[in-house]
Amino acid sequence: WGGRWIYLGTNYLRMRYLEKCLRGERISLSMLIKEETENQRPKILDWNRRMREANNDSLHWWMTHLAGRNNVGTNFFIYLIQIAALRRWVIENREKLNEEILIVCEDVFLLNAIYENIKVLVPTKKQFGWQVFLVAEKLNYFARAVNRLIRQVIRFGCHFYMARITRPDKLQPPKGEAYLIHQCLDDVSFQKEGKLACRYFTILPEWLENHGKQVYRLPWLFNVNIPLKEVYARLRSSNCLIPEDWLTLRDYIWSFYQGIKTIFTIRDDLPFDGMNIRSLLQRERCIQWNGGLSTSLFWRYWRMLCRWTASLEEIIFIEHYENMPPEHVQAFWAHTHGIKKFKVIGYYHSIVSREFIAYHLPPGEEKSKIFPDLIITNGSLGKKILVEQGYPEDKIREGPALRQLFPQSKTNEERKNTLLILLSMLPEHAAEHLDKILKLHEWLQQEK
């Protein structure tokens, strides 16, 4: 291709590769995308609110990344913004267009969505044989869902067996008041001595125990590769609430069924600002086949909580607050069951970019059953950000920065002009950051 072209997608390295392969000039939409990120955010929040209301604020809806507006877990929102930016570019430039423009996109569903929204503005044609790519992509999503199902069944079976052989002879549900802290545990958590601690809450469980509280840790095992026998030995010695102790085979089947039901909450009959987004919603449904089966891990908490809390009079749930599926079952359960006293506390553990839409609150969402009764932030800046982004101030309290260890400040003359760059865990994002900084290299050297 020798003419001008546009890339829409999220893979920076792929775009750089295309720049080397294609002779023509790439048209950058970066400034328009930046502007449309701000312009489209209120419309995204309103559309998300209407989708929530159309699903009657159901827990099944909340167990999707679409519900929590997690634009790290789904590309749906960035695709919406990119299409809006492209439409704007076409409208502003169509009078002087006298050539064909090639649009390269990373996904066949995105391709179809672009076509449906651009064909009404300028003559547009799709790649020949795009239907073959569509069928192949759907089959790929289905194969991944089957793979997820098999892996999840094996995982549940292994954990059920290990829980049975390590379980005490008689299970005693707790009485009185209890704190239940959801801990995301990885290999690093098990390599440290003492009771298990996660990177979110660190010393909090032990601090509560030292103040006479009855504390239970609800383990969420994430990328744990240590032998299960060692894992369960540590779980048993750390006063963990192990879901498998309280579950039956029927409960696992029920959890899978609930996960599959989440797929059908993604509706395509709600308009979005005059755009045709059916293809993007079809893509989300395909993704949710895999994601819904993944949420069975958290759906199993429902039946477990019904039995484990039978003798409790008061319970305080402590979760990391990210507005994502891992925290929703516990909050929804607490707000719909008859424990005499309960409180759901969400911990806002890290300050993130404004572009993370999950932390922008549509009007009325704070009344949802998944919303914490109280959000503790990691300091005053965290509270300020949430309030500016729509959160009710009376539901937020300033708290400690449990995740961060701030060493005492030391003056180091040799390093005072050193630039520390914190890179993303995603290679594409890290490459883009380094690429931009390299372009500023000469300026940075002069500014020393």
Side-chain angles (χ1 to χ4, degrees):
W1 181 261
R4 293 195 295 167
W5 57 281
I6 296 171
Y7 175 76
L8 291 184
T10 58
N11 193 318
Y12 180 77
L13 292 176
R14 185 176 298 167
M15 186 195 73
R16 291 304 305 269
Y17 173 75
L18 289 169
E19 285 180 329
K20 294 180 180 179
C21 294
L22 302 177
R23 299 191 310 274
E25 173 196 358
R26 180 177 70 87
I27 300 170
S28 174
L29 299 180
S30 59
M31 292 307 297
L32 287 176
I33 289 173
K34 184 176 180 180
E35 292 174 12
E36 287 303 315
T37 297
E38 297 295 326
N39 295 339
Q40 298 300 321
R41 188 181 295 121
K43 300 171 186 177
I44 288 172
L45 294 176
D46 180 68
W47 177 86
N48 196 265
R49 175 190 59 79
R50 289 186 286 118
M51 184 72 88
R52 175 175 63 85
E53 292 173 353
N55 281 291
N56 297 315
D57 197 36
S58 71
L59 181 55
H60 293 92
W61 159 247
W62 279 112
M63 296 302 280
T64 68
H65 283 306
L66 205 60
R69 304 175 296 283
N70 177 10
N71 48 334
V72 176
T74 172
N75 290 331
F76 177 81
F77 301 106
I78 184 60
Y79 286 167
L80 278 183
I81 292 167
Q82 289 182 340
I83 292 172
L86 177 63
R87 284 201 314 173
R88 184 173 154 190
W89 184 89
V90 169
I91 291 170
E92 292 175 358
N93 292 274
R94 61 182 169 182
E95 298 298 328
K96 51 188 178 184
L97 280 178
N98 54 8
E99 60 178 323
E100 282 190 330
I101 303 292
L102 173 67
I103 299 175
V104 185
C105 47
E106 65 183 4
D107 186 279
V108 67
F109 292 96
L110 176 59
L111 179 148
N112 207 34
I114 292 169
Y115 175 78
E116 293 297 330
N117 287 283
I118 299 302
K119 70 177 183 179
V120 297
L121 302 174
V122 290
T124 309
K125 58 184 178 182
K126 286 188 275 192
Q127 177 184 10
F128 176 76
W130 68 272
Q131 297 93 336
V132 176
F133 290 98
L134 181 63
V135 172
E137 193 71 4
K138 288 183 177 181
L139 289 174
N140 180 44
Y141 280 122
F142 178 74
R144 288 164 61 185
V146 172
N147 178 264
R148 170 65 67 178
L149 176 62
I150 294 171
R151 289 170 58 194
Q152 198 78 308
V153 168
I154 293 172
R155 177 180 183 175
F156 282 161
C158 292
H159 282 269
F160 187 80
Y161 170 76
M162 190 57 63
R164 279 293 181 270
I165 65 174
T166 61
R167 190 172 71 173
D169 294 334
K170 188 175 181 181
L171 289 174
Q172 294 289 345
K175 297 180 180 180
E177 178 196 69
Y179 285 76
L180 182 60
I181 302 178
H182 199 196
Q183 290 186 320
C184 183
L185 304 173
D186 57 12
D187 282 344
V188 176
S189 304
F190 287 90
Q191 290 165 4
K192 296 177 181 177
E193 303 240 343
K195 288 190 176 180
L196 288 170
C198 69
R199 67 182 73 235
Y200 295 96
F201 297 112
T202 58
I203 63 170
L204 179 63
E206 193 170 353
W207 184 86
L208 288 170
E209 287 172 333
N210 291 338
H211 283 73
K213 304 299 182 182
Q214 184 179 202
V215 178
Y216 292 87
R217 297 157 176 82
L218 177 57
W220 165 20
L221 304 180
F222 183 76
N223 285 342
V224 173
N225 299 301
I226 295 171
L228 275 185
K229 186 175 181 180
E230 296 178 25
V231 169
Y232 272 80
R234 289 293 303 279
L235 295 178
R236 296 293 181 191
S237 65
S238 298
N239 206 32
C240 286
L241 167 56
I242 298 176
E244 280 69 22
D245 287 346
W246 305 85
L247 298 177
T248 65
L249 176 60
R250 183 177 295 181
D251 296 325
Y252 289 105
I253 296 172
W254 179 87
S255 298
F256 280 121
Y257 174 65
Q258 302 306 320
I260 292 172
K261 284 175 68 175
T262 64
I263 299 160
F264 304 102
T265 64
I266 301 176
R267 305 171 50 164
D268 61 5
D269 57 348
L270 292 180
F272 177 83
D273 192 35
M275 290 172 58
N276 187 330
I277 60 173
R278 288 179 181 270
S279 292
L280 297 183
L281 289 169
Q282 287 175 11
R283 180 179 184 274
E284 287 303 307
R285 281 202 208 97
C286 290
I287 292 173
Q288 192 58 27
W289 274 102
N290 186 44
L293 291 168
S294 297
T295 64
S296 62
L297 183 69
F298 306 108
W299 278 105
R300 81 197 206 285
Y301 291 169
W302 187 281
R303 294 283 183 93
M304 174 268 293
L305 286 170
C306 290
R307 296 173 186 134
W308 181 76
T309 60
S311 301
L312 282 176
E313 296 182 0
E314 182 176 359
I315 183 169
I316 295 91
F317 292 88
I318 301 179
E319 284 281 346
H320 48 278
Y321 176 69
E322 296 173 339
N323 204 16
M324 294 185 191
E327 66 211 53
H328 291 333
V329 170
Q330 303 87 286
F332 200 97
W333 185 91
H335 289 112
T336 54
H337 278 68
I339 290 183
K340 294 178 182 178
K341 293 176 66 178
F342 70 87
K343 181 171 282 188
V344 179
I345 299 174
Y347 179 49
Y348 177 79
H349 55 80
S350 300
I351 294 172
V352 298
S353 165
R354 238 180 99 78
E355 275 70 33
F356 188 55
I357 314 176
Y359 287 144
H360 291 263
L361 200 71
E365 190 169 286
E366 72 277 5
K367 299 176 183 176
S368 172
K369 293 182 178 65
I370 63 92
F371 199 80
D373 300 298
L374 197 65
I375 296 175
I376 308 294
T377 64
N378 60 344
S380 58
L381 181 57
K383 178 178 179 179
K384 179 183 177 183
I385 290 172
L386 290 184
V387 171
E388 287 176 353
Q389 294 177 178
Y391 283 75
E393 191 169 359
D394 63 333
K395 287 200 170 189
I396 303 176
R397 300 289 186 275
E398 295 177 21
L402 293 173
R403 287 190 68 180
Q404 291 79 21
L405 294 175
F406 296 104
Q408 291 183 349
S409 176
K410 294 183 180 180
T411 304
N412 190 328
E413 290 298 324
E414 294 179 2
R415 293 187 178 185
K416 73 175 183 180
N417 289 322
T418 302
L419 180 65
L420 174 65
I421 303 167
L422 301 178
L423 295 177
S424 168
M425 293 174 65
L426 301 176
E428 297 85 3
H429 298 176
E432 183 174 6
H433 285 138
L434 289 174
D435 216 1
K436 303 298 184 189
I437 290 167
L438 282 173
K439 290 179 181 178
L440 298 172
H441 179 259
E442 290 185 7
W443 177 81
L444 289 170
Q445 291 293 103
Q446 294 171 1
E447 288 298 308
K448 273 188 174 182

